[in-house]
Amino acid sequence: MVIGTTIFYLDGNAYHSPTFSRGGLAATFSVDVTHLSLGAGVGLGIEVQHRNDEDTTWSSAGTFSSITSVDTYSKDISGLKENVRFVYTFQGGTPTALEAAHFLMMAPSWRPY
């Protein structure tokens, strides 16, 4: 069994995670990147987006620093709205169809604020 998510650059469009409800007003989000295939100057971008039920558009709650190596990364974000999702992109440099990443998004560590 393979655990985690694998994404490829393909046509350059962003990947979106399923939407989930927040568990607190703030959280630490962590990702364990286990495999990367990146061109020169290209990084994996992970953005945390949020919105309330009545909102019609998503807004950025925070962004991980560009990921360029296999490791575990964390991002602390506060002031979260009701619904949360992740957006994954390949950014920088000149991405080709060879970019790929395999990672495991950990369960958020929620807190009141």
Side-chain angles (χ1 to χ4, degrees):
M1 169 174 35
V2 176
I3 297 177
T5 302
T6 302
I7 61 172
F8 297 91
Y9 179 71
L10 298 176
D11 62 1
N13 288 321
Y15 291 86
H16 297 86
S17 75
T19 300
F20 56 96
S21 297
R22 72 170 182 215
L25 296 176
T28 299
F29 298 94
S30 297
V31 59
D32 182 15
V33 179
T34 60
H35 299 79
L36 276 177
S37 173
L38 300 174
V42 178
L44 173 65
I46 302 176
E47 179 183 14
V48 180
Q49 292 185 340
H50 63 158
R51 72 176 195 169
N52 287 326
D53 288 334
E54 67 273 4
D55 295 341
T56 57
T57 59
W58 292 90
S59 60
S60 180
T63 304
F64 283 73
S65 296
S66 185
I67 296 170
T68 58
S69 63
V70 171
D71 205 347
T72 301
Y73 300 86
S74 295
K75 180 69 178 173
D76 190 58
I77 300 174
S78 60
L80 291 166
K81 296 182 179 181
E82 297 167 347
N83 301 299
V84 180
R85 74 176 181 183
F86 301 112
V87 179
Y88 308 100
T89 57
F90 291 98
Q91 51 195 202
T94 305
T96 67
L98 302 177
E99 274 71 31
H102 183 83
F103 54 89
L104 176 62
M105 289 300 299
M106 306 297 186
S109 177
W110 300 105
R111 60 183 190 284
Y113 189 72

